Amino acid sequence: MRGGEQTPIMHQEHVTLTNVEIEQLYGAIKKYLQDLKLEVIHEDKLPNYLSLKAYKGGTLNTITGSVRDVEVMISGSDTSHELILRTGAWGRDIFVPGAIAGLFTGGIGAAAVAGAEIYRAYTFEKNFWKWINTIISELSRGNASMTDPKVLEPQKDISTS
C-alpha cells in the first residue's frame, strides 16, 4: 500500500476440504470468477499454497462504489486443505452509492442502495460456496468433503500500529 492508504476490510470465510484435486479446483475457481467478468490481477502458485486475486471495476465503478474484490487462497497437505474466500469492496464502499442515490432521491434511496450492496455480497458468497460444493463432487478423489463455511474475524495488523 502507498503511504496513507488503509488496508481495505475484507469479509473472510473458510472451509476445510478433504480428498479434493486442488490443482483442478483452483483452475475451476479461476474460470468461475472470470465467467463472472472478474479480472484475475494476481496469482501465487507455491507448493501446498495457491491463491488468486480478482477484481471487477473501473473508474465509474470506483466512483459509484461498485468495485468488487475477491481473493481465494488454498493451502494444506495431500488430502486436507483450507480454502479461504475473502470478499471486499462490497461492504467497504456501500456509503458512496448510497450517498449518490440519496442526492437524487432526497435520501430515500440511500438505504435501499446500501441494502442492495449488502445483499449482492451475501448472494455472491452464498452462490460461491454452493458452486464449490458442487464442483468438489465432480473433482473428488473418492470421498471428497467440505465443511460448512465459517466466518474468520479480521486480525489487526500490529506492524502498522
Side-chain angles (χ1 to χ4, degrees), residues 15-35:
V15 297
T16 300
L17 305 171
T18 307
N19 297 321
V20 175
E21 294 290 344
I22 295 304
E23 288 283 341
Q24 291 177 337
L25 177 62
Y26 177 83
I29 290 171
K30 182 176 177 180
K31 182 180 180 328
Y32 176 82
L33 296 174
Q34 289 171 327
D35 288 349

Side-chain angles (χ1 to χ4, degrees), residues 39 55-68 93 96 100:
E39 176 187 354
Y55 166 86
K56 184 176 187 178
T59 304
L60 181 60
N61 294 64
T62 301
I63 293 168
T64 63
S66 57
V67 173
R68 306 291 178 255
D93 296 333
V96 176
I100 291 170

